[in-house]
Amino acid sequence: MTITPLNPVAKQDGSTKKQVKKQTATAELDVKPAEQPDERLSAEERLSYARTVDRYLVHRESLGEVFLTDLQPIDRDSYAAAAQLPRSHAYYGDHLLRPNTYDPVLLLEACRQATLAGAHLFFEVPADHKFILTHLSVSLTQPRWITVGQSPFPLAMRVTVVDRKEREGRVTGVDSAIELSMDGTVLGRATVGLRFKTPTSYLSLRLNNRDGVALPSSAAHPPRLLGTPVAPHLVGRANPDNVVLVDAHTDGDTARARLRIPADHPSMFDHAQDHLPGMVLAEAARQLALLTVLDARGVSAVKAFPTALEVIFSSFGELEEDTTLTAELGDRSAPGPEEQLCYTQGGVLDLAELHDDGHPPAGGADLLPVRIDVQQGEKQLCVFTVTMKRIQAAPPAPGR
């Protein structure tokens, strides 16, 4: 099944986003009879990576920020989704880790897009509804398979709705569990929680949160930099535009920093927002976790990889308020006598295989869990747990 706009003729005539959003997103078959997929194949085997879905299905303005390529229904509560991960990207590809490895935050973004598009296509959530993230998580059980190679990465996702919320016959929320795989190999698991609001109810909710004060827009957020930015290499970045922490301080197993709001960033703020996006807070948490393990354990961003990230959001982050992140390093698992060396498309990567719960086997990987509390004043926005894995890179074996 190939996803197409509900009204392709109107789109060709230059219809505006407003016209498209008035429609309830649906899917239709756009294949010739000879090209019908073999029904004997599984939903994952029928997935297509030929082109991306309509950008409005995943709430993105830029085509370059759309990674989802297809969705295939399985049953009432589950479906398969496909995403092609870019080998090069100004934001998701800007990392110092070697061998070059796909960003777990990119995997989370692919999951976010899959659950959003699935809500529109399979659960009839109207295209103009606003969505609210309630929780996110990703845990990589086979991280050695996600190094960047010579071919595009065909990510497959099996999405199962574990909780569906309805009101007056319409879906108002879905909590999804997602199995991540590539060519049949399970790489890990993720979860995404979404709640949906009509434009009117969303505005009412936000105004109530703000005691009636009008909503701001990131498009009008002042571009000036307040505070001293963290050096990019300390948080695994080469491009300073991708750094979101300022005024960082470390003390033993703890670290603290303020959030720089990158309102003009083409990926983190793909379109104007009236609040801090959850994915921006995820990036900030990842960067502070890297800074913490560097200062507390001497593990540089070149040798640290986040194998797991989870968060529960409790409040909206306001654009006008100062946002503070505080990190604390937890107990680590002791490294075993034998670490696995895995040959990948990008070289040799030392990432011991993890169990399905994201924990290492007995005597396995050296994992560094970091808890990050995000606050605005006395209000807690969310709490992250980021698990960093110390890795060792070696030159390719002779003959490879």
Side-chain angles (χ1 to χ4, degrees):
M1 181 180 72
T2 300
I3 307 301
T4 61
L6 179 64
N7 189 350
V9 175
K11 185 178 181 184
Q12 292 169 1
D13 291 340
S15 66
T16 65
K17 176 181 177 182
K18 182 177 180 181
Q19 290 173 313
V20 175
K21 283 194 170 184
K22 285 183 178 179
Q23 307 172 53
T24 298
T26 61
E28 62 182 41
L29 295 176
D30 185 25
V31 292
K32 298 177 182 179
E35 298 173 344
Q36 289 284 359
D38 189 340
E39 294 301 326
R40 294 171 297 180
L41 300 177
S42 68
E44 288 85 355
E45 291 171 326
R46 295 197 303 270
L47 288 172
S48 170
Y49 296 86
R51 59 180 179 179
T52 55
V53 301
D54 191 306
R55 58 193 169 123
Y56 297 127
L57 284 176
V58 297
H59 296 211
R60 281 289 175 254
E61 292 285 356
S62 171
L63 293 174
E65 299 301 319
V66 180
F67 310 115
L68 196 69
T69 62
D70 195 16
L71 299 101
Q72 292 285 342
I74 297 176
D75 54 38
R76 182 177 181 273
D77 293 316
S78 60
Y79 56 93
Q84 187 179 87
L85 306 186
R87 286 172 285 176
S88 176
H89 192 278
Y91 168 55
Y92 293 111
D94 177 37
H95 297 287
L96 301 183
L97 181 70
R98 292 296 180 268
N100 192 15
T101 305
Y102 286 104
D103 186 350
V105 175
L106 172 59
L107 297 178
L108 265 182
E109 172 61 19
C111 292
R112 187 196 70 87
Q113 294 188 11
T115 53
L116 266 178
H120 290 313
L121 294 177
F122 302 128
F123 302 115
E124 299 182 345
V125 174
D128 66 344
H129 276 33
K130 303 287 188 178
F131 79 91
I132 300 170
L133 275 174
T134 59
H135 66 269
L136 291 168
S137 74
V138 62
S139 177
L140 298 174
T141 57
Q142 299 276 6
R144 65 180 183 267
W145 291 105
I146 63 170
T147 53
V148 179
Q150 299 301 312
S151 302
F153 192 94
L155 178 67
M157 294 165 280
R158 187 181 183 94
V159 183
T160 301
V161 174
V162 296
D163 187 19
R164 184 189 322 182
K165 300 185 182 300
E166 298 183 4
R167 178 179 296 175
E168 298 177 352
R170 62 184 181 86
V171 174
T172 59
V174 289
D175 293 337
S176 302
I178 305 159
E179 181 184 81
L180 309 172
S181 64
M182 190 271 289
D183 292 340
T185 298
V186 176
L187 308 173
R189 288 170 174 78
T191 64
V192 177
L194 298 173
R195 300 296 179 265
F196 302 100
K197 297 283 187 182
T198 66
T200 300
S201 62
Y202 176 81
L203 179 61
S204 177
L205 172 66
R206 291 289 287 124
L207 290 176
N208 287 338
N209 291 156
R210 295 168 54 84
D211 296 325
V213 177
L215 300 186
S217 172
S218 59
H221 190 77
R224 65 183 182 276
L225 178 64
L226 300 177
T228 304
V230 174
H233 71 277
L234 297 179
V235 291
R237 295 294 191 177
N239 186 350
D241 291 342
N242 292 326
V243 177
V244 296
L245 299 182
V246 298
D247 296 338
H249 300 280
T250 57
D251 183 11
D253 287 354
T254 63
R256 185 182 178 92
R258 292 171 49 237
L259 176 70
R260 177 184 76 85
I261 300 177
D264 58 349
H265 196 283
S267 295
M268 286 185 266
F269 281 84
D270 166 78
H271 55 280
Q273 299 276 3
D274 62 57
H275 62 279
L276 294 176
M279 299 303 290
V280 172
L281 296 178
E283 176 60 35
R286 184 254 298 279
Q287 291 188 16
L288 192 58
L290 284 166
L291 190 64
T292 303
V293 299
L294 170 62
D295 189 72
R297 296 292 183 268
V299 182
S300 77
V302 178
K303 296 180 179 295
F305 180 77
T307 59
L309 181 152
E310 58 183 285
V311 59
I312 296 176
F313 297 100
S314 53
S315 300
F316 281 96
E318 301 296 348
L319 295 172
E320 310 98 324
E321 301 292 330
D322 201 36
T323 305
T324 302
L325 297 93
T326 304
E328 184 175 2
L329 182 64
D331 295 333
R332 64 176 179 174
S333 61
E338 295 183 2
E339 292 282 355
Q340 289 181 305
L341 285 178
C342 301
Y343 290 89
T344 69
Q345 297 179 52
V348 182
L349 186 63
D350 169 23
L351 278 171
E353 180 177 342
L354 306 177
H355 291 313
D356 286 350
D357 61 0
H359 292 89
D366 186 6
L367 298 178
L368 303 168
V370 185
R371 182 184 186 274
I372 301 103
D373 184 32
V374 184
Q375 290 191 297
Q376 289 186 333
E378 298 298 319
K379 181 177 69 173
Q380 185 181 75
L381 304 185
C382 55
V383 176
F384 285 87
T385 300
V386 181
T387 302
M388 308 301 297
K389 168 70 173 68
R390 184 200 303 265
I391 70 168
Q392 294 178 353
R400 288 186 68 88

